[in-house]
Structure formats: structure tokens, C-alpha cells
Amino acid sequence: MPKRFSSVVGRSFGDGVRDAIQSTGMTQRRIAELLDWEEAKVSDLVKGKGGVTEVEVATLLGLCRTEAGELRRLLALFKETREKGFLQFYEAGLPGQICTLAEQERLATKIFVWSATLVPGLLQIDPYIRAVVAATPLVKPDYLDEVVAAKAGRRSVFHRSREFTFYIHEQALRLPVGGPAVMREQLRHLLAMLVRPYVTMRVVPTRIGAHGGLGGSFTQLRYEKHEPAVFAETADPGLVVEDKGSVAAYDLVLAQLSREALDEVESRELIADLLA
């Protein structure tokens, strides 16, 4: 079946509409009847496929008695649904980009990660996550536990139905995040994850100097029914890239990293040496 374009922001919008409908206790069919719509129109809406006007979205959300703040958020997302990209700015509380990335990881069948400075988020243990979040100036102390829990929750995506490939710079493995004890536990966790046949981990060694990943860390998600997307790491906003030209550029980076990185056996030995 050919892939049908559905943007990341469109799917995030659809998830929000689905939650709004579920909060009423009514089915999608009943909502469609009350709005005098075809049920397929509601179904397309929650799948992020569009086919409605902004007024119709507002009418549906009004019927669901959606809280004002959530209503504004969903209407803002709706305006972006046909764009092949998404810039999500940080606000106080749980950063929306964490939720968006977690949602898309669950939809993806193949996940490729390049991490230049830290152990990749999906591979981080709780004490490591807490040390990273505590050092982030944008996260206020009141929200520390919430952000840590959300980041840790992303680990539930690991399953044999998906393939994971991680490229990690050696310096990220040497950075003593949380102190020596935390790093030992973190390195042991990496070795334990390598037992899983659907997880590939390759280290880009410091000795090669300049490398293909100097542009920054990112996660590329490949789906069965959607076009691929890239989540680029930035200090504040979450940047999602979906246009074919930009995604192709990240493909080139991954190909270069594959040529430069140690193979799987060498990478495992390097991690074990660091632990020793």
C-alpha cells in the first residue's frame, strides 16, 4: 500500500481531538451524528488527515466542552497540520516536544538516533535522566519530577516489533553525568540493552576527529504508513523536519556515521573497557 502523507503535527492534533472525544464518554459515531457529519469525517480528523475547516474543528471541540487552554492549543496545531515540519516551543511544565517525540516513537517501525554529547534519551537510566534535566536551565525545579518521568516513560517503546540503531560519540560515553556511580550503572545498562537483537549500538571514536554528525544530535523515525520524520535537538524549541529534501540530508549524515563508527563488536568492547 503506498504511503499517505500525514504530518507529525497533524497526528499530534488528531491525538488531542481523540482525547477530547473520549473525555465526553461518547463514541465517534455519536459525535458525528450530533454534528450531522459522516462518521468517516471524524475518523479522518483523529487520524490527522484533515478534511475540515477551522470552524468545524471549533464546533466539535465546543461540543466536547474542551477546556479553553486545550482548545487554543488544538486550534493552533490545526493551523499547522498541512505543513511538512513543526517548530514546538518550550513552555513552563512538561515540554511538549517530549510528548510529541514519544507519540511518534510508538508509531515508528525503525528508529535511528545520533547522539553527540549525551547517552541517547531512549537509553538513559533514571539517575542519568535526572542529572541531565536538573542541569537544564529551562526546566524549573517544580517540574523536575514530571519531566524525568516523561523522559523515562519513553523506554516503553522498546519492542521486537521495532528496530533501533544508535550512533553515539565516544565523548558522550565519557562525560561523567551524575558522577562515577551513575555512569557505571549507565554503561552497564548499555551493555544489557545490546543483548536485545533489535537494538544496534555503534560508537563514533574520538580519534577520527571531525565526523559526519557535527551538525548536531537528532532522531530519525521511519514509519510503515507515513513519510519519515526527523526530530532535531535544540536548546529550546523542538524542531521536526519532514520535507523530503531535508530528510534526505539526514540520510546522508547517517550513511557517513555508519562508515565512520566502530562496528558492533568493537563498540561493545569500548563500552566494556570504559566500565572496567
Side-chain angles (χ1 to χ4, degrees):
M1 180 180 296
K3 293 181 179 179
R4 179 174 55 233
F5 176 74
S6 171
S7 69
V8 168
V9 65
R11 296 192 289 275
S12 294
F13 165 75
D15 288 342
V17 173
R18 181 184 293 106
D19 291 343
I21 293 173
Q22 290 178 345
S23 72
T24 68
M26 292 186 283
T27 64
Q28 292 183 23
R29 174 177 295 180
R30 180 55 180 158
I31 290 290
E33 290 173 351
L34 292 173
L35 293 171
D36 196 24
W37 291 3
E38 295 290 334
E39 186 178 353
K41 187 171 183 176
V42 179
S43 177
D44 284 349
L45 191 61
V46 299
K47 292 176 182 176
K49 292 165 57 178
V52 295
T53 66
E54 185 175 349
V55 171
E56 288 176 319
V57 172
T59 301
L60 183 150
L61 296 175
L63 176 63
C64 295
R65 297 188 177 182
T66 305
E67 183 268 336
E70 178 66 359
L71 176 64
R72 288 192 294 271
R73 185 184 78 86
L74 290 175
L75 288 176
L77 285 177
F78 174 73
K79 294 176 182 178
E80 302 288 337
T81 53
R82 304 318 302 164
E83 299 296 328
K84 295 187 179 182
F86 184 26
L87 188 62
Q88 193 170 20
F89 289 92
Y90 174 81
E91 297 179 0
L94 180 61
Q97 51 265 46
I98 298 176
C99 299
T100 301
L101 178 55
E103 291 165 359
Q104 295 308 307
E105 286 169 338
R106 285 192 291 270
L107 293 175
T109 54
K110 294 184 179 181
I111 299 176
F112 295 82
V113 178
W114 158 238
S115 191
T117 57
L118 294 170
V119 168
L122 281 173
L123 296 172
Q124 294 175 4
I125 60 173
D126 286 9
Y128 189 103
I129 294 173
R130 182 169 292 276
V132 171
V133 175
T136 303
L138 292 176
V139 178
K140 297 180 179 179
D142 291 347
Y143 298 107
L144 178 62
D145 291 341
E146 183 181 9
V147 175
V148 171
K151 285 179 171 285
R154 290 174 56 207
R155 294 195 298 260
S156 65
V157 77
F158 282 107
H159 189 268
R160 66 177 65 90
S161 61
R162 301 180 182 88
E163 296 178 17
F164 300 82
T165 302
F166 297 94
Y167 293 100
I168 312 171
H169 197 277
E170 180 181 346
Q171 290 304 112
L173 300 176
R174 293 183 179 275
L175 187 68
V177 174
V182 170
M183 281 307 299
R184 284 195 296 273
E185 184 181 355
Q186 178 65 72
L187 292 172
R188 282 194 290 267
H189 177 68
L190 295 182
L191 292 175
M193 290 298 295
L194 286 173
V195 175
R196 306 189 186 198
Y198 51 87
V199 174
T200 298
M201 203 177 304
R202 296 180 60 192
V203 178
V204 176
T206 302
R207 66 172 183 267
I208 70 170
H211 52 79
L214 291 174
S217 303
F218 63 88
T219 296
Q220 186 188 83
L221 305 177
R222 299 181 188 175
Y223 310 90
E224 182 178 353
K225 297 182 179 180
H226 308 299
E227 296 297 322
V230 173
F231 283 69
E233 293 188 13
T234 64
D236 180 5
L239 175 60
V240 182
V241 178
E242 294 177 271
D243 69 278
K244 290 185 178 180
S246 296
V247 171
Y250 284 97
D251 285 336
L252 293 175
V253 173
L254 288 172
Q256 180 72 10
L257 290 171
S258 180
R259 291 189 291 269
E260 296 170 336
L262 302 175
D263 64 28
E264 294 179 62
V265 174
E266 293 170 328
S267 297
R268 184 185 297 109
E269 291 174 349
L270 188 150
I271 295 171
D273 287 344
L274 292 175
L275 183 57

